[in-house]
Amino acid sequence: MASPRGECTRVDAAALLLLLRLLLAVAVAPGDGGGKEAAAARVPAVIVFGDSTVDTGNNNQIGTPLRSDFPPYGRDMPGGPRATGRFGNGRLPPDFISESLGLPPLVPAYLDPAYGIADFARGVCFASAGTGLDNATAAVLSVIPLWKEVEYYREYQRRLRAHAGVARARATVRGALHVVSIGTNDFLENYYALGTGRFAQFTIGEFQDFLVGEARRFLAAIHRLGARRVTFAGLSPMGCLPLERTTDALLGGGGGRIEEYNRVARDYNAKVEAMVASLRAELPRLKVAFIPVYDNMVNIITHPENFGIENVEEGCCATGRFEMGFMCNDEAPMTCEDAGKYLFWDAFHPTEKVNRLMAQHTLDVCYQQGVL
């Protein structure tokens, strides 16, 4: 197996094999085109939980310094530059998933006062940038904890019943695709940042187990509330994030942090995937797919030319090495002209091009595994 550090820079055969299998499965599936169209027609809404990878603007409405409601964020949004609070130059994976399913091209944030229950009936996002599976993670930057996202989900369902009636509201929730992306902040903002004390309470393996337990409880909770179709994203190769590469270089780590973080991500992903399989067996009405983000990201990093990408080590915004949030602003020098040539938009988050690729991969897995 290639070293974790090498996964930031060279070919990963396992990732390529997985991608080829997925593409082959989709290509040869009987009645594939009609099946996908029929599945899309049966999905009444996209419902989103998680962190900044899927937050479409909830953090704009809360008292946190972790925001992106200013340029150049959103500079490539449809219809012209618009900083919506999405951490990227344009749309996020849930937006592309929604559009692919014949729903609106933007999934509205639940706390955005510009939207109401009629909008949320077709798609709603409860995610909050900076949050995690561990409640302590959300407290670091005063963002919405995952338990509160579930409470908003309960409230949303009450509003939906009042708006559409009990039967239609129930059908919407049960037919909706629930998109979940969370976990990176639990490690980088919580455990390794040392501020919460989790590093003293748990070994890294124990912390992984703790997080997997929290993920299982979350999935069981939304299942009890009616969720039947769910995607749960694994971690990306965290050591390959520009911010972590920069930190490793400044600390003279020689790639040590990169190796450790990528190994931790792989180990955690294996535990989550096993948990998801166990939960499917325990709750047969729950169709939940684990999305192997790690493999997809490694494929892009090692073969950027296949995707028209030229830079996989730095973000487009400013120097691309450490800037995100308020440090990625309209006055920052050196911001690139074409974000489509980059894997990362800022030092932490992917570009819209990569978000589109991730969305398509999520849908492919859903069709292959019968979630859709």
Side-chain angles (χ1 to χ4, degrees):
M1 177 184 293
S3 72
R5 179 173 172 80
E7 287 172 335
C8 295
T9 57
R10 66 172 185 250
V11 176
D12 186 299
L16 289 176
L17 182 59
L18 174 64
L19 185 61
L20 287 172
R21 285 175 176 171
L22 287 173
L23 291 174
L24 182 61
V26 172
V28 303
D32 176 67
K36 286 187 178 183
E37 291 175 5
R42 294 195 302 268
V43 179
V46 170
I47 299 175
V48 185
F49 299 89
D51 56 24
S52 61
T53 55
V54 290
D55 179 3
T56 59
N58 284 309
N59 273 25
N60 296 354
Q61 310 301 324
I62 63 175
T64 176
L66 189 57
R67 305 165 72 95
S68 59
D69 54 344
F70 48 85
Y73 286 100
R75 74 175 193 186
D76 298 316
M77 286 291 288
R82 183 159 52 105
T84 61
R86 289 168 170 82
F87 278 81
N89 59 303
R91 289 190 282 171
L92 301 182
D95 298 315
F96 290 114
I97 290 171
S98 178
E99 184 176 52
S100 294
L101 294 173
L103 295 166
L106 297 176
V107 178
Y110 187 62
L111 299 184
D112 189 335
Y115 297 95
I117 191 60
D119 304 296
F120 300 145
R122 304 189 70 197
V124 60
C125 174
F126 305 111
S128 177
T131 202
L133 291 160
D134 183 1
N135 289 334
T137 303
V140 173
L141 290 169
S142 301
V143 299
I144 302 168
L146 188 58
W147 68 263
K148 185 64 174 178
E149 293 187 27
V150 176
E151 286 302 307
Y152 283 140
Y153 184 48
R154 292 178 190 272
E155 178 184 85
Y156 159 73
Q157 291 191 27
R158 290 194 295 269
R159 294 176 62 187
L160 190 60
R161 288 192 291 269
H163 168 74
V166 173
R168 187 174 172 189
R170 176 175 172 159
T172 295
V173 170
R174 296 206 166 192
L177 181 63
H178 294 69
V179 177
V180 186
S181 180
I182 197 168
T184 301
N185 297 317
D186 289 303
F187 293 97
L188 300 184
E189 182 183 307
N190 178 345
Y191 191 89
Y192 287 115
L194 308 183
T196 66
R198 292 301 197 197
F199 73 98
Q201 184 179 359
F202 299 109
T203 66
I204 189 62
E206 290 169 344
F207 189 59
Q208 290 171 342
D209 293 339
F210 168 71
L211 295 179
V212 173
E214 292 300 299
R216 186 185 183 95
R217 278 186 281 276
F218 162 77
L219 290 171
I222 64 171
H223 174 264
R224 286 193 297 272
L225 292 171
R228 294 294 181 266
R229 295 168 165 175
V230 183
T231 73
F232 196 97
L235 297 184
S236 69
M238 301 184 295
C240 297
L241 297 173
L243 180 61
E244 302 312 318
R245 296 170 66 102
T246 299
T247 302
D248 179 73
L250 290 174
L251 294 177
R257 288 167 63 98
I258 293 173
E259 293 174 9
E260 178 183 359
Y261 289 3
N262 285 354
R263 183 184 69 251
V264 166
R266 288 198 311 274
D267 292 347
Y268 168 83
N269 286 342
K271 292 179 179 181
V272 171
E273 190 167 13
M275 177 273 291
V276 166
S278 171
L279 198 60
R280 280 199 300 259
E282 180 183 324
L283 303 172
R285 292 184 299 171
L286 177 63
K287 297 178 180 180
V288 55
F290 172 80
I291 309 301
V293 173
Y294 190 105
D295 300 322
N296 248 17
M297 288 292 283
V298 167
N299 187 37
I300 296 172
I301 290 167
T302 54
H303 291 285
E305 68 281 358
N306 292 344
F307 306 94
I309 292 173
E310 299 176 3
N311 191 323
V312 298
E313 297 186 358
E314 300 160 337
C316 168
C317 188
T319 68
R321 297 178 182 177
F322 62 88
E323 297 91 346
M324 62 172 284
F326 283 116
M327 289 188 290
C328 173
N329 59 68
D330 213 22
E331 302 301 319
M334 301 175 63
T335 296
C336 76
E337 294 184 4
D338 184 1
K341 295 179 180 179
Y342 285 70
L343 167 55
F344 296 101
W345 162 249
D346 59 19
F348 208 86
H349 302 96
T351 57
E352 182 183 66
K353 172 183 271 191
V354 174
N355 286 333
R356 184 189 292 272
L357 293 171
M358 292 299 172
Q360 186 56 56
H361 178 61
T362 297
L363 288 169
D364 289 344
V365 173
C366 284
Y367 289 124
Q368 183 195 37
Q369 297 190 9
V371 174
L372 292 177

